[in-house]
Amino acid sequence: MKILKAGITSVQDMGRFGYQAYGMPTSGACDQYSYRIGNILVGNDDVEASLECMLMGPTIEFEEDTVFAITGGYFNTTLNGVKIYNWHSYRARPGDILELGGVISGCFGYISFSGGIDVSPVMGSRSTYIKGKIGGLEGRNLKDGDTLKTGEGNLFAYGRQLERIYIPRYERDVTVRVVMGPQDDYFTKEGIYTFLNSPYEVTQSSDRMGYRLKGKPIEHAKGADVVSDGVPLGAVQVPGDGQPIIMLVDRQTTGGYTKIATVITADIPRVAQARPGDVIHFKSISLGDAYWTYRHYKEQFEIIRWYVEHS
Amino acid sequence: MYNEPRFMPVGDQALLMELGDDIEEGCNACIKGMIELIEEVGVKGIIETIPSYRSILIYYDPFVTDFNETVDRLKKIYGRLDIKSVEKGDTVIIPVLYGGEVGPDLQFVARYTGLTEEEVIDIHTSMDYLIYMLGFAPGFPYLGGIDERIQVPRLETPREWIPAGSVGIAGRQTGIYTVDSPGGWRVIGLTPVKLYDPHRDIPVILRIGDYIRFRPVTVEEFDEIKKGVESGTYYPEVLRGGAG
């Protein structure tokens, strides 16, 4: 396929694991829920590489018969000028033009192709990590005029769709669940109260590395800096100014700010789909509830796959 | 270092094993030994470990295990850990071309510290630096304990672009940029060695617990090593079991 307009688009998959000890971020799709559903809709294994676009989607000219699906954030998507829908799989013919344009709701869109994007894996993943100049297409975002190939896929996986109950709605005010810690003891009681009871607005300085939020400052008890340690996905760092930052897939592997809480895995996609100006509330849940939610989250992919393939 | 490690939940898939709250060599040896033991014993459900100055972030699969079970296992392993048996790391010799265009801040460091450029280089190359952790960027080594005589503040305005291989100092730290990036450290030299190359079998050549010794080289030697690096025939010299 040929990329006529690139938008802000990169190749992403599940991520690059096993190298964090050497300072290598995991990268991967920001919203793993939409990314995985996209692969299911086009008949792929969960792990194939897709295109991820942020706020501005690409325009693509197909050069071969291809099955594709759009998931995640809603763009003004058309195929040959005719509106098409998210969470459906479609078949495209050579010469067809898919145009996403600007985002309408949500933040990250995924275009999944039957057979997946065919680029060489680096350290076990096809995900683009721009700072490390690796993965995807030459370790960079797509640019106008690029061409990409897909692997051999199932060309009959079109006309599939996701059950309505599994389609997320992207509200402008979201509540995300967190497990407190590992450094919640660095904050005053008041600071913890503020964190759990105040709205935080997503700011413009938000990207795949992390979302910087703005709101009532969270009060530290022992200072904002710790001797650097590992930074997990979803860590809520609070630097000296008391403004939280949620760490996402391109985060650095280690950091020296206090981490008040960690967003649970199932709610990371909802963080990722928030846009600058949207509001995030934090809700604390027990570790037991977090496990339960994670199991439910993981198992639903199997249920969805069964439904998609049998309806 | 703490008497007993602390364990804290980190979301639904990880936990933090914290061994201390300061930068010290004993803690680093303990972390290195602990990770080696975890790998050797093969703890059920543990997926990935990320060492840092004072703790280990441990990812586990909550479908296989949970926080309490993993902590119990880690405590047992910790009980078996004998710091004295942790092998001393290797010393990796890193050739560096100091000053000039590739070390634009060497002159500043000399002026600031009241030393000559040669003295700064002598001091910077006179000791072995322990690699406490890798992070910030792929393969970027956090090195401990720089000589007080050459400690300088960071740049007031960080540079927008520092090429990979640049050797910098700031406060008590020294390090080597592994990818082109912005940065606020004072750049005093450049190494032709690629500490990070994603297309090599082993992308990152440094390990925590190893040491780095900087060795000054001439322009001619730098160019020769650079050719060797590019053709894949140059490997940095390594002193086994470190003289550090």
Side-chain angles (χ1 to χ4, degrees):
Chain A
M1 73 193 84
K2 200 167 171 189
I3 308 298
L4 303 180
K5 279 191 209 145
I8 305 167
T9 308
S10 64
V11 177
Q12 297 296 339
D13 63 13
M14 297 281 284
R16 187 170 284 111
F17 295 91
Y19 298 91
Q20 291 183 83
Y22 309 116
M24 176 63 69
T26 58
S27 302
C30 258
D31 170 359
Q32 293 271 331
Y33 179 83
S34 302
Y35 157 77
R36 292 182 72 164
I37 303 288
N39 270 326
I40 291 172
L41 288 169
V42 299
N44 287 344
D45 290 338
D46 281 357
V47 296
E48 296 291 352
S50 306
L51 294 181
E52 176 188 273
C53 48
M54 183 181 183
L55 299 171
M56 193 57 174
T59 303
I60 295 169
E61 184 181 344
F62 291 96
E63 294 173 314
E64 284 173 62
D65 274 354
T66 310
V67 168
F68 71 92
I70 317 272
T71 58
Y74 294 86
F75 292 72
N76 268 311
T77 313
T78 57
L79 183 63
N80 298 326
V82 179
K83 183 168 176 52
I84 61 165
Y85 298 92
N86 276 24
W87 316 104
H88 284 64
S89 62
Y90 295 89
R91 185 159 179 176
R93 309 279 177 182
D96 283 358
I97 289 180
L98 174 68
E99 187 173 355
L100 271 79
V103 80
I104 300 166
S105 86
C107 183
F108 286 98
Y110 295 86
I111 317 174
S112 308
F113 304 91
S114 199
I117 300 281
D118 184 17
V119 289
S120 302
V122 180
M123 288 174 248
S125 167
R126 295 182 168 84
S127 286
T128 311
Y129 170 49
I130 291 175
K131 212 168 139 193
K133 295 180 184 161
I134 58 162
L137 199 63
E138 300 163 3
R140 58 168 172 81
N141 279 334
L142 300 187
K143 56 186 189 203
D144 298 358
D146 278 341
T147 53
L148 285 168
K149 277 206 171 78
T150 57
E152 203 166 304
N154 176 1
L155 286 181
F156 298 99
Y158 60 91
R160 295 175 166 195
Q161 57 176 307
L162 184 66
E163 292 268 314
R164 276 179 85 94
I165 54 159
Y166 293 111
I167 296 179
R169 282 178 41 191
Y170 302 125
E171 314 279 357
R172 315 256 7 212
D173 188 320
V174 292
T175 298
V176 302
R177 291 162 289 183
V178 297
V179 174
M180 295 306 289
Q183 278 125 22
D184 49 332
D185 56 340
Y186 276 71
F187 296 86
T188 61
K189 261 190 187 155
E190 216 176 328
I192 303 260
Y193 183 86
T194 308
F195 170 64
L196 294 171
N197 293 282
S198 314
Y200 287 93
E201 192 184 312
V202 178
T203 68
Q204 292 287 346
S205 19
S206 297
D207 55 22
R208 287 175 41 84
M209 195 169 162
Y211 276 25
R212 284 175 180 270
L213 310 180
K214 190 177 71 187
K216 198 173 168 196
I218 299 163
E219 190 183 61
H220 290 89
K222 302 189 209 165
D225 294 346
V226 292
V227 175
S228 290
D229 59 11
V231 179
L233 178 64
V236 184
Q237 287 189 339
V238 186
D241 62 3
Q243 303 294 327
I245 306 169
I246 306 177
M247 304 305 285
L248 291 179
V249 290
D250 276 353
R251 70 194 177 281
Q252 55 186 70
T253 54
T254 54
Y257 293 128
T258 40
K259 295 170 280 292
I260 191 169
T262 312
V263 177
I264 65 169
T265 309
D267 284 354
I268 296 285
R270 307 175 60 224
V271 171
Q273 292 295 359
R275 268 188 283 168
D278 289 0
V279 169
I280 290 180
H281 286 88
F282 295 100
K283 184 187 170 196
S284 163
I285 63 167
S286 70
L287 189 54
D289 284 350
Y291 285 145
W292 189 87
T293 311
Y294 179 66
R295 279 178 198 165
H296 180 71
Y297 169 78
K298 281 272 283 211
E299 280 159 5
Q300 75 183 341
F301 292 112
E302 295 315 309
I303 299 167
I304 290 169
R305 182 179 286 281
W306 193 89
Y307 269 115
V308 164
E309 287 173 0
H310 291 84
S311 57
Chain B
M1 215 170 100
Y2 305 147
N3 290 331
E4 287 295 323
R6 296 175 63 201
F7 295 91
M8 286 157 279
V10 178
D12 49 23
Q13 298 192 64
L15 65 86
L16 191 65
M17 177 176 182
E18 197 175 277
L19 293 105
D21 58 4
D22 209 352
I23 301 173
E24 47 177 317
E25 294 205 14
C27 198
N28 184 263
C30 216
I31 286 168
K32 185 175 177 240
M34 193 66 203
I35 287 178
E36 281 166 4
L37 269 182
I38 291 171
E39 277 168 15
E40 193 185 306
V41 177
V43 183
K44 189 180 87 174
I46 289 188
I47 297 167
E48 198 166 350
T49 54
I50 305 169
S52 58
Y53 280 121
R54 64 199 182 101
S55 67
I56 313 173
L57 180 62
I58 296 165
Y59 279 94
Y60 59 85
D61 181 351
F63 272 72
V64 178
T65 183
D66 63 18
F67 177 77
N68 291 328
E69 190 185 12
T70 312
V71 167
D72 284 346
R73 282 167 196 273
L74 290 170
K75 278 184 180 163
K76 281 196 190 109
I77 293 178
Y78 186 73
R80 285 178 44 191
L81 181 65
D82 173 16
I83 299 192
K84 284 181 221 103
S85 74
V86 176
E87 271 180 50
K88 203 162 171 64
D90 299 334
T91 300
V92 184
I93 314 276
I94 300 292
V96 178
L97 178 61
Y98 283 92
E101 267 174 42
V102 298
D105 297 322
L106 182 62
Q107 217 177 2
F108 168 85
V109 176
R111 219 172 39 222
Y112 185 88
T113 55
L115 301 163
T116 64
E117 292 188 14
E118 287 67 34
E119 284 167 334
V120 173
I121 298 169
D122 280 348
I123 294 169
H124 191 249
T125 53
S126 66
M127 65 174 285
D128 294 348
Y129 300 96
L130 175 62
I131 302 171
Y132 279 97
M133 59 190 257
L134 300 165
F136 164 68
F140 182 95
Y142 282 83
L143 305 174
I146 177 173
D147 194 297
E148 272 181 18
R149 287 171 292 170
I150 55 169
Q151 290 182 7
V152 290
R154 286 158 191 266
L155 291 171
E156 271 167 35
T157 312
R159 286 194 175 86
E160 280 179 30
W161 186 76
I162 293 178
S166 292
V167 175
I169 56 177
R172 290 189 303 164
Q173 306 182 85
T174 180
I176 306 161
Y177 285 88
T178 52
V179 295
D180 299 346
S181 68
W185 291 20
R186 307 274 175 179
V187 175
I188 57 173
L190 184 73
T191 178
V193 176
K194 279 186 183 166
L195 294 178
Y196 162 69
D197 180 352
H199 304 293
R200 200 162 50 197
D201 285 346
I202 304 166
V204 171
I205 55 178
L206 303 176
R207 296 285 176 269
I208 75 153
D210 284 349
Y211 293 83
I212 282 184
R213 184 183 299 170
F214 295 107
R215 180 171 72 84
V217 295
T218 60
V219 176
E220 292 73 31
E221 201 179 346
F222 179 92
D223 289 341
E224 200 179 311
I225 295 173
K226 194 167 184 211
K227 270 183 220 152
V229 168
E230 274 156 16
S231 62
T233 53
Y234 176 86
Y235 301 96
E237 191 188 340
V238 175
L239 306 176
R240 299 285 164 201

